[in-house]
């Protein structure tokens, strides 16, 4: 028997960074950044698994402490830079390691606005989607990814599904007017550092939503490909983008037993089973 692969680390390290002195802002103006971090390492510690020898293994509690120390050192850094700094500190600190994979899921707090005025230290929770960043670092390379999970959107018309394969097992009818809804998982790989990661993410999402909302969709596949192409065009620093979209179905309710017609107005929501549409769009 042989040990095929190995890794370990610390998961669900929850940390909130509060930047209490923000350049260009008055006293009392705060920025908050909350994240749930998973930091995994690889390296020369096979004996811990195979020979019960812990001499080259660091504690997972130590990894948690390093996450917190890096958080204190970089209160104002983006999620992507935060992940990279954690990975770099692990590799710098421990020579037995040859790699680190750090993923940070953001809990997004939006500044509270009351009576048209942004509040300096009050926030509300953003409920749509969970942004994340991931840094995969070795002694000689760095791969940075960003994305969002569970980003939910829909349109009540402007979508169809027709001209598909029809054979004895096909029961679905063609339509040129249906609801299109999804809770999208999206990730994009960077080939260079953008001026602002958060602004780039907002541009990617706004661009894709503009394509989704303003153009007719012959299928979710059709929309995803065009959304991905538009994102690559809008943000030149990303190399490729991967989109995974469950097709959240809304089924027309049969009102005939009640003597009523349903003119594409009343639906029942179901998400099991659902269509699962995935694709990756890259530069030539």
């Amino acid at each position: 028997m042989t040990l095929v692969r190995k890794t370990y680390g610390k998961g669900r390290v929850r940390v909130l960074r509060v930047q209490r002195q923000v350049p260009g802002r008055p006293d009392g103006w705060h920025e908050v950044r909350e994240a749930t971090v998973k930091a995994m390492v690889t390296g020369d510690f096979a004996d811990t698994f195979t020979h019960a020898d812990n001499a080259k293994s660091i504690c997972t509690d130590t990894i948690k402490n390093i996450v917190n120390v890096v958080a204190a050192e970089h209160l104002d850094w983006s999620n992507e830079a935060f992940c990279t700094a954690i990975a770099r500190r692990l590799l710098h600190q421990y020579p037995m390691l040859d790699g680190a994979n750090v993923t940070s899921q953001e809990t997004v707090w939006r500044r509270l606005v009351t009576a048209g005025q942004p509040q300096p230290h009050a926030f509300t929770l953003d409920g749509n989607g969970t942004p994340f960043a991931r840094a995969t670092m070795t002694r000689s390379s760095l791969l940075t990814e960003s994305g969002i999970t569970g980003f939910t959107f829909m349109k009540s018309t402007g979508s169809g599904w027709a001209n598909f394969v029809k054979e004895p097992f096909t029961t679905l009818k063609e339509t040129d007017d249906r609801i299109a809804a999804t809770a999208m998982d999206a990730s994009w790989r960077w080939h260079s550092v953008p001026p602002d990661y958060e602004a780039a993410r907002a541009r990617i999402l706004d661009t894709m939503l503009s394509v989704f909302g303003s153009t007719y969709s012959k299928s979710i596949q059709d929309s995803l490909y065009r959304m991905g192409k538009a994102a690559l065009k809008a943000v030149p620093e990303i190399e490729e983008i991967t989109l995974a979209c469950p097709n959240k179905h809304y089924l027309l309710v049969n009102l005939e037993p009640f003597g009523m017609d349903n003119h594409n107005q009343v639906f029942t929501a179901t998400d099991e089973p659902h269509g699962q549409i995935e694709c990756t769009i890259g530069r030539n």
Side-chain angles (χ1 to χ4, degrees), residues 245-266:
C245 289
N247 196 344
K248 298 170 68 70
H249 297 297
Y250 290 86
L251 307 179
L252 199 67
V253 173
N254 181 14
L255 298 177
E256 291 182 1
F258 314 108
M260 302 173 67
D261 293 328
N262 190 350
H263 300 292
N264 227 18
Q265 292 174 302
V266 181

Side-chain angles (χ1 to χ4, degrees), residues 38-155:
K38 179 181 180 182
M40 304 293 289
V41 296
T42 58
D44 181 20
F45 45 74
D47 284 353
T48 303
F49 291 85
T50 59
H51 291 84
D53 180 358
N54 300 332
K56 292 185 178 180
S57 287
I58 60 176
C59 302
T60 64
D61 188 67
T62 300
I63 295 175
K64 175 207 70 178
N65 292 340
I66 284 178
V67 170
N68 289 329
V69 167
V70 173
E73 292 174 339
H74 304 295
L75 296 173
D76 60 334
W77 280 18
S78 69
N79 212 22
E80 289 80 2
F82 181 42
C83 288
T84 302
I86 295 168
R88 183 174 290 113
R89 175 63 64 87
L90 287 166
L91 292 179
H92 175 77
Q93 197 81 22
Y94 303 105
M96 77 286 288
L97 301 182
D98 59 30
N101 186 298
V102 181
T103 303
S104 177
Q105 292 184 312
E106 290 185 66
T107 298
V108 179
W109 293 95
R110 300 295 183 193
R111 190 168 303 280
L112 181 64
V113 177
T114 58
Q117 295 298 317
Q119 298 302 303
H121 47 256
F123 306 85
T124 59
L125 187 65
D126 187 323
N128 192 8
T130 302
F132 70 88
R134 179 180 299 115
T136 303
M137 183 179 290
T138 69
R139 297 287 175 185
S140 60
S141 66
L142 170 63
L143 173 64
T144 307
E145 301 171 89
S146 304
I148 191 167
T149 61
F151 188 67
T152 304
F153 49 93
M154 69 174 292
K155 56 183 176 181

